[in-house]
Amino acid sequence: MIHILLFLFAFLGFSLLCLARERHQRDLFGRKLAASTARRLRRGGSLCLLLAYPAAGSILGWGYGAVEWLGQLSVGALVTVLLLTRLSTRRSQRPTGA
Amino acid sequence: MKGGFRQSMAWLHTWTGLLLGWLLFAIFVTGTSAYFQEEITRWMTPEVRSVPADPASGFAGAVRWLEREAPGASEWSAYSAGKRTAGLQLYWVNGPDASADAPTEARLDGAGRKVEARETLGGWFLYRFHYDLHYINWYWARWLVGVAAMAMLVAILSGIVTHKKIIADFFLLRFGKGQRSWLDVHNVSSVLFLPFILMITYTGLVSLATHYMPWGVAANYSDQAKFVDAAFPWPAPGERAGAAPLVPVAPLVERAEHGWGVAAGSIRILNPGDRSARIIVSSAPDSSMFVRPRSITFDGVTGRQIDARDPSGAATNTESAMIGLHAGRYANMLLRVLYFLSGLAGCVMVASGLILWTVKRRARLPDPGRPHPGFRLVEKLNIAAIVGLPFGIAVYFLANRLLSLGIEGRSEQEIDAMFIAWGAIAVWAIARPARRAWIESLSAAALAFVSVPIVNALTTSRGLPASLMAGDSIFALFDIAMLVIAAGFCGAAFKVAQRDAGRAANRRMRKASPPATEVA
C-alpha cells in the first residue's frame, strides 16, 4: 500500500511541477497559465515530493524509506515525462490533422 | 571568456565519457543483471527445484549431512545461498587421513538433499565480471574498473555543469528528431535517475577503496593480511582435545537470530565432534543494509556463548552501509525492481551518450559518405559494445542449455561462448558498413534473446508454458524478460532500418536549411 502511495506522491508531485512550466502549459493547454497558478502548482508539487519522504521513512524505516523514496521519485518522474511526451505529440498533431 | 568554464566542462564530459564509455556500458549491463543474480543462477541450474526452509532447520540439516559425509573434517561451514534462493553451500576442510582428491564442497537444496546440477557459474559470473572482468588479472581489472568509475564521476559532474540549462527542462523528451532526441534520451535517463547514478558510482568506488588506496592500511598494519585479520577475523581450529558430541546447532542459530533480530546467513564449525569445538553463527549479508555480518561464537559442546562480534564504529558502519546500498542485497522485490530499472537507465544513459558522439559529428562531417577513420572507429566500437555484450549474454544463456552436461570445464566454456559471440559482433561491425552492421547486429541480438525461452522449452521440462502452469514465477518471468528484451532489440532494428530509408529524403531537405547549432 505504502508503495503505491509513494508512487502516486511522486507522480503527482512531478506532474504539478511539470504543469508549472510555461513551455509545457503551452504544449498541453495551448496557452500560458496565470503566474499565481504556476506558483501554486510549483509549491504543491514540491510539497508532494517532500512529504513522500516522511511517509516512506515512518513506515519503511528511515534508511530503507530513503532509498525507496528516491527510487519512486525517479519512476514517478519517468512516467510524467512519458505521459507528457505522449500528450504533447497528440496535441501538436491535432491542429495539423484538422 | 564567459563560456570558458562550461566549454571546458563540455570537453571533459565528451572525452571522459567516450574513452571509458564502452567499458562503463559493460559494467552497467552486467552490474544491473547482478540485481537478479540469484534468479539467473536458478534459471541456469534447472535441475534444482528448491523448497524454502527456515535457516535454523536448514543449518541443522547441513550438520546432519556433514556428520554423515565428512566426519573427519577439521572444519565445516555452511552458507545460505541467499534469501531468495533456498539452499546451502557447504565447504569443509578434510582431516589428515582423507585422500587428497576427496571432495571439499557440496550444495544442498532447501530440503537438505545434495544437489546434482550442471556445472555453471550462473548469475555470479556476470556479477563478478562487473568489477573483476575476465581473462585478465583481477588486480589490474579492478584498477581498470576503478578508472572507469572515476571517469564516470567526472563525466556526471561535468555533465551537470554542461547541461545545466537542460536539467531545468528535464521533462522534455521529443522523439523522431535525430540529434535532439538522442540528447533528450541522454538527459532524461541521467537526470531522472541522477540519485541512483551518483550513488552507484560513488559507492562502487568505496567498495574497492582499500584496493585503490592501500596507504591507510599500509600505514597502520605491517601487511595486508594483518589488516584483514583485524577487520574481518577468521579464527582457525585449535588443538584437538578428545572426542565429545556436538551440541545441536538449531537452538544456537535461533538464539543468535533472536538476539540480532535478523536472519542467520552462515555457520562455521571448528573441530566438530571434539571437546574444543566452536560454532560461529554469522548474520546474513542480505538481512539488512549493513553488509558486514555480525557473529556469535558458541562452545560446540556446551552451547555456551564465548564471544560476540558486532562490527561497529562509524567508519566500518559507513563502509558497510555503502556497499549494502550499492549491492542492494537487502532490498525486497519491489525495491529490487526499482534498482534494476535504475540500472537500465544507467545503461541507456551511457549508450545514448556514446551514440550522441557520432550523431553530433556526423552532421558536421565534410562528406558523410566517407567519414574519417576516427569517426568510423567510434561508430564500430559503439556497435561492438552496445549490441555485442547483450548478444554475448544471450549466447551465455543458450550455451548453458546447449553444451552437453558432463564435459570438462563446462562453466568456463559457457563463458568462452559469451566472449566468442561478443567478439563475433565486433568483427561483423568492422567488416560491414556501419548502418548495415547496426541493423544486422540488432537483429541478431533479437534472434538470440527470442531463442532463449525456445531452447529452454526444448531442452528442459521447465519451458514457459510449463512454468506458467506450475506457477513457477522465477522461470516464467525470466523467459518473459528474454522475450521483452528481444522485442526491444527487434524494435531498435526496425527503427534504424526506417531511419535509413528516410535519410536520403532528409538529406535533400537539410541542404535547403542550415543545420541547427547545439551546445552539448
Side-chain angles (χ1 to χ4, degrees):
Chain A
M1 195 58 217
I2 176 69
H3 308 296
I4 298 170
L5 196 68
L6 280 177
F7 170 73
L8 289 178
F9 262 120
F11 174 53
L12 186 68
F14 277 112
S15 303
L16 294 181
L17 285 181
C18 174
L19 288 179
R21 298 195 76 83
E22 197 185 314
R23 170 171 202 154
H24 304 311
Q25 293 166 2
R26 286 189 202 283
D27 284 345
L28 294 170
F29 311 123
R31 65 185 174 87
K32 184 179 172 250
L33 297 180
S36 60
T37 316
R39 198 161 51 242
R40 249 175 266 140
L41 285 170
R42 196 153 43 236
R43 281 196 198 139
S46 313
L47 200 67
C48 273
L49 300 184
L50 291 176
L51 276 182
Y53 177 53
S58 57
I59 295 176
L60 299 168
W62 297 101
Y64 196 101
V67 181
E68 178 157 344
W69 174 61
L70 288 173
Q72 294 274 19
L73 286 191
S74 295
V75 173
L78 181 67
V79 173
T80 309
V81 167
L82 292 176
L83 198 64
L84 172 75
T85 307
R86 179 127 195 97
L87 292 178
S88 348
T89 48
R90 197 183 291 165
R91 197 181 152 83
S92 64
Q93 274 162 5
R94 210 181 297 148
T96 50
Chain B
M1 202 172 114
K2 211 178 159 204
F5 180 63
R6 270 188 66 196
Q7 286 297 329
S8 57
M9 282 291 137
W11 182 89
L12 194 61
H13 183 79
T14 304
W15 293 101
T16 50
L18 179 74
L19 277 181
L20 289 142
W22 298 299
L23 179 57
L24 276 171
F25 183 77
I27 295 170
F28 256 98
V29 169
T30 50
T32 302
S33 82
Y35 288 123
F36 288 111
Q37 187 190 150
E38 289 173 24
E39 285 76 7
I40 293 174
T41 303
R42 278 182 70 169
W43 188 88
M44 291 178 80
T45 47
E47 296 85 359
V48 185
R49 288 181 187 267
S50 285
V51 275
D54 67 298
S57 65
F59 287 126
V63 168
R64 278 197 301 279
W65 192 91
L66 285 161
E67 273 171 341
R68 205 168 58 237
E69 305 287 335
S74 62
E75 176 182 338
W76 295 333
S77 51
Y79 293 85
S80 155
K83 63 183 170 188
R84 291 169 290 136
T85 312
L88 291 166
Q89 178 68 44
L90 308 184
Y91 300 97
W92 59 91
V93 179
N94 284 316
D97 43 340
S99 68
D101 57 346
T104 58
E105 61 171 302
R107 237 190 101 187
L108 300 189
D109 65 12
R113 284 180 307 254
K114 186 166 188 284
V115 167
E116 300 291 351
R118 60 191 63 200
E119 189 200 324
T120 179
L121 293 178
W124 185 81
F125 164 71
L126 296 174
Y127 158 73
R128 202 52 198 260
F129 177 83
H130 102 277
Y131 62 93
D132 274 357
L133 308 180
H134 198 67
Y135 296 128
I136 69 168
N137 180 290
W138 64 267
Y139 182 88
W140 296 112
R142 285 183 188 189
W143 269 107
L144 211 58
V145 170
V147 169
M150 207 64 216
M152 172 90 179
L153 209 53
V154 169
I156 295 170
L157 297 179
S158 56
I160 292 172
V161 174
T162 311
H163 296 297
K164 204 173 53 189
K165 226 170 70 193
I166 302 159
I167 286 177
D169 263 340
F170 84 48
F171 294 112
L172 274 184
L173 178 63
R174 289 151 294 184
F175 288 117
K177 294 205 167 139
Q179 180 178 338
R180 193 62 251 184
S181 299
W182 282 110
L183 193 58
D184 284 350
V185 168
H186 191 54
N187 277 316
V188 162
S189 56
S190 48
V191 177
L192 265 46
F193 290 86
L194 194 62
F196 171 83
I197 287 166
L198 269 176
M199 178 280 285
I200 209 72
T201 313
Y202 186 73
T203 54
L205 283 167
V206 167
S207 63
L208 294 176
T210 55
H211 185 74
Y212 302 132
M213 294 187 293
W215 310 289
V217 172
N220 290 294
Y221 298 89
S222 56
D223 61 59
Q224 185 78 16
K226 289 217 171 64
F227 163 70
V228 173
D229 272 351
F232 317 110
W234 193 254
E239 277 297 308
R240 285 189 167 263
L246 190 71
V247 68
V249 295
L252 303 183
V253 172
E254 274 165 8
R255 209 200 303 171
E257 289 183 328
H258 189 74
W260 294 323
V262 300
S266 65
I267 58 168
R268 279 181 79 209
I269 302 177
L270 309 176
N271 285 341
D274 191 81
R275 275 216 301 279
S276 64
R278 293 281 179 275
I279 299 174
I280 303 163
V281 182
S282 299
S283 61
D286 55 12
S287 61
S288 82
M289 208 184 284
F290 298 94
V291 285
R292 298 289 183 212
R294 292 181 271 187
S295 65
I296 298 179
T297 306
F298 297 100
D299 186 301
V301 180
T302 63
R304 199 167 44 85
Q305 179 173 333
I306 294 173
D307 187 24
R309 263 192 65 82
D310 191 349
S312 50
T316 311
N317 266 344
T318 306
E319 192 235 13
S320 174
M322 279 194 175
I323 299 175
L325 205 53
H326 184 94
R329 293 197 183 93
Y330 66 93
N332 66 16
M333 214 17 109
L334 179 93
L335 189 54
R336 186 164 298 281
V337 170
L338 291 180
Y339 262 113
F340 184 77
L341 285 179
S342 306
L344 284 184
C347 301
V348 169
M349 174 190 73
V350 179
S352 59
L354 285 170
I355 292 171
L356 199 50
W357 191 94
T358 58
V359 171
K360 252 175 73 180
R361 276 157 192 78
R362 183 178 287 119
R364 289 195 230 126
L365 285 174
D367 176 7
R370 295 174 55 84
H372 54 83
F375 182 90
R376 278 216 299 268
L377 178 72
V378 171
E379 205 169 33
K380 284 165 191 294
L381 280 173
N382 277 353
I383 300 171
I386 296 169
V387 193
L389 173 62
F391 179 72
I393 292 176
V395 170
Y396 178 59
F397 295 151
L398 288 172
N400 174 267
R401 289 295 191 262
L402 294 174
L403 287 174
S404 36
L405 292 184
I407 52 173
E408 189 75 14
R410 188 177 189 281
S411 58
E412 201 55 39
Q413 288 194 20
E414 287 179 7
I415 295 169
D416 291 342
M418 171 176 142
F419 286 104
I420 291 168
W422 190 352
I425 293 285
V427 170
W428 193 257
I430 292 166
R432 299 278 291 164
R435 274 190 259 159
R436 299 302 308 165
W438 270 115
I439 299 173
E440 286 152 3
S441 58
L442 287 166
S443 314
L447 207 62
F449 276 105
V450 87
S451 319
V452 172
I454 297 172
V455 170
N456 176 42
L458 293 176
T459 54
T460 71
S461 58
R462 302 179 75 175
L464 185 54
S467 37
L468 280 175
M469 299 262 259
D472 183 348
S473 56
I474 288 182
F475 265 66
L477 287 172
F478 187 101
D479 281 352
I480 291 170
M482 293 301 115
L483 295 175
V484 170
I485 297 171
F489 277 110
C490 190
F494 268 112
K495 204 90 188 153
V496 179
Q498 225 171 33
R499 183 199 67 187
D500 285 351
R503 180 166 281 171
N506 271 339
R507 199 170 298 148
R508 255 174 274 127
M509 275 170 63
R510 209 181 296 159
K511 268 190 186 143
S513 61
T517 48
E518 295 283 350
V519 182

